[in-house]
Amino acid sequence: MDSQASSKLRPMGAKRNPPIESLRHVFQDSMDRMSPGDILLLDDNESLRDLVDPAFFAILSCPLCGKLDLITQSQYSGIESVICGYDDCSCHFRIDHKQALIYLPVN
Ligand SMILES: [Zn+2]
């Protein structure tokens, strides 16, 4: 009799936006229209490379909210996880094999 109570709420709205499973590598000419999950490697784009702090390795569009953020080589290599810097998102994930996205719980 409690079938209603067992229905679960899904905060991410998974029906509309299934989680993106892998990164898509793009180049500088696509920078102003990057989609969630797109990544732009700074080493492949010299004019951008000169503008960005050498501590960072790539520009990543958050796979959940699409906000652009800078990530380090350690994050790109999967050594460190990535947390979206946007307060309303806080998507936490790891990049596996420089391609696949593994979502992690938000602490
Ligand atoms: Zn985000």
Side-chain angles (χ1 to χ4, degrees):
M1 294 293 279
D2 64 347
S3 61
Q4 282 184 323
S6 68
S7 69
K8 293 172 184 170
L9 294 172
R10 296 189 182 278
M12 293 304 183
K15 283 180 183 173
R16 280 179 56 198
N17 295 308
I20 291 164
E21 293 179 350
S22 64
L23 297 174
R24 191 169 70 101
H25 288 76
V26 301
F27 293 93
Q28 190 169 348
D29 58 359
S30 305
M31 192 184 168
D32 56 352
R33 45 191 157 84
M34 285 174 74
S35 305
D38 284 358
I39 189 167
L40 190 157
L41 302 186
L42 294 167
D43 283 356
D44 291 344
N45 299 274
E46 278 184 31
S47 57
L48 273 176
R49 174 73 278 178
D50 292 342
L51 298 173
V52 179
D53 189 310
F56 295 106
F57 184 74
I59 300 170
L60 174 67
S61 174
C62 172
L64 199 60
C65 72
K67 183 180 183 293
L68 298 185
D69 213 346
L70 291 162
I71 63 169
T72 65
Q73 186 154 19
S74 293
Q75 289 173 315
Y76 181 62
S77 304
I79 297 168
E80 294 175 32
S81 63
V82 183
I83 298 176
C84 177
Y86 186 53
D87 282 345
D88 289 348
C89 176
S90 298
C91 183
H92 187 202
F93 55 95
R94 191 166 66 79
I95 299 168
D96 193 36
H97 290 91
K98 302 180 178 179
Q99 180 86 34
L101 292 167
I102 299 169
Y103 293 92
L104 303 169
V106 176
N107 293 317

